[in-house]
Amino acid sequence: MAVRLTPLLLSASAQVPVVQLKCPPLFAHISTKTRFIASAARMATNEPQSRTKIIDSHLHVWASPQEAADKYPYFPGQEPTLPGDVDFLLKSMEEAGVDGALIVQPINHKFDHSLVTSVLKKYPSQFVGCCLANPTEDGSGVKQLEHLILQDNYHAVRFNPYLWPSGQQMTNEVGRAMFAKAGELGVPVGFMCMKGLSLHISEIEELCTQFPSTTVLLDHLAFCKPPINDEEKLAFSALLKLSRFPQVYVKFSALFRLSRMPFPYQDLSHSLSQVVSSFGANRVMWGSDFPFVVPECGYKGAKEAVSLIVNQIPLSSTDLEWIMGRTVMQLFQNQWLP
């Protein structure tokens, strides 16, 4: 093949002579379609570009009616009205493009963790478990918590203040012992403030102050709706002020419980903007609240709503990645491999 030299040029960076080669178009006779097919084939052999995993930070599973009859009974009076079995969950996750999830022990099985434990053992690469704290007055809940974490491989614990004995707070002796044990074992404590953050803010602040090594998760924006009156404004302000504790994270989850609008819950855009501004996107995580979300907007809709809300603010694509998976993956290190 003949090579024709052009005049020498100097590289601007190194002042080294550069030789330009002009070669005859040997493949000019190949059609555009053929070249496109060849290019596609080469791309197919290359490694796909990695993407941040989508991880759901808050959902539940419970036994199917058959499983409940055979092996995993519901707690009396807590029989579910919705399907929430793991096969339904896995199908919903696949359709929505969700890679993994944190399973929160449901009240339907109360302190019997056997069903969720069986799911964690069967699908260890997809699911991480959050157990339910048992605040019984005899203090046995501390040992139960330790067993669930060390033996059954749970990585978080939920404090439901409405399970505490009547007249008791989460800051009682048992609550402090469980909160301290969680910090000692390196697992976050999730707070469910279903009746309003204002009822529990002093307890949360006290525990965070006394045990700064215990990580905290605030379920469902601490149940703060977009504020429309002074009481709600005070509660939302209290939520934002919790950002002064570096161990506190916020779940942007169960959006249908927080919004006053139908899907895609766009009245939550200002709330999300303020939460991200106060906490940083790397302390905020999305959660669906499956299966309760299914009749509201569908599981896939729960995921898509976040992007639609974010587009209104707007947040950066990096912030969205943190919210949709990076935050929870960083918090629960090595549980969902990149």
Side-chain angles (χ1 to χ4, degrees), residues 314-334:
L315 295 180
S316 69
S317 59
T318 301
D319 286 341
L320 183 59
E321 283 185 1
W322 278 104
I323 294 168
M324 298 305 294
R326 287 178 68 181
T327 297
V328 70
M329 288 180 70
Q330 179 174 275
L331 189 58
F332 297 93
Q333 291 184 9
N334 302 319

Side-chain angles (χ1 to χ4, degrees), residues 75-266:
F75 188 81
Q78 296 289 351
E79 295 80 6
T81 58
L82 295 169
D85 57 275
V86 69
D87 291 335
F88 180 35
L89 170 61
L90 288 168
K91 181 174 181 291
S92 300
M93 289 173 63
E94 183 178 7
E95 290 174 351
V98 174
D99 300 295
L102 179 68
I103 300 177
V104 179
Q105 170 72 8
I107 196 64
N108 311 85
H109 294 287
K110 208 167 182 181
F111 302 123
D112 178 1
H113 289 73
S114 56
L115 181 277
V116 172
T117 300
S118 72
V119 172
L120 299 177
K121 289 181 178 177
K122 189 172 183 180
Y123 304 100
S125 65
Q126 286 180 275
F127 299 122
V128 172
C130 174
C131 60
L132 181 62
N134 182 356
T136 181
E137 288 182 285
D138 64 9
S140 60
V142 180
K143 285 292 183 185
Q144 292 175 23
L145 173 61
E146 194 168 20
H147 177 87
L148 287 164
I149 294 169
L150 297 179
Q151 302 300 318
D152 293 333
N153 206 31
Y154 284 78
H155 291 273
V157 57
R158 187 181 217 190
F159 275 30
N160 179 342
Y162 317 112
L163 295 177
W164 256 251
S166 179
Q168 299 285 315
Q169 292 190 323
M170 295 183 289
T171 49
N172 68 0
E173 185 178 351
V174 171
R176 289 173 185 274
M178 289 193 293
F179 196 83
K181 178 61 68 174
E184 176 188 323
L185 297 175
V187 300
V189 173
F191 287 106
M192 186 187 75
C193 305
M194 182 173 281
K195 296 181 182 180
L197 177 61
S198 298
L199 293 175
H200 309 292
I201 184 65
S202 62
E203 299 164 76
I204 294 171
E205 290 176 331
E206 187 175 331
L207 290 169
C208 286
T209 300
Q210 186 172 355
F211 305 100
S213 63
T214 302
T215 299
V216 166
L217 309 175
L218 299 173
D219 296 347
H220 313 332
L221 278 187
F223 285 85
C224 289
K225 291 177 176 286
I228 58 174
N229 57 47
D230 290 343
E231 183 180 352
E232 291 178 347
K233 289 175 182 176
L234 284 173
F236 191 73
S237 176
L239 166 62
L240 298 180
K241 289 177 182 176
L242 286 173
S243 64
R244 71 186 186 276
F245 297 104
Q247 77 259 44
V248 176
Y249 291 70
V250 178
K251 290 185 182 181
F252 188 60
S253 53
L255 307 187
F256 65 95
R257 297 187 187 276
L258 309 174
S259 176
R260 293 184 170 88
M261 298 175 67
F263 175 86
Y265 316 121
Q266 293 191 342

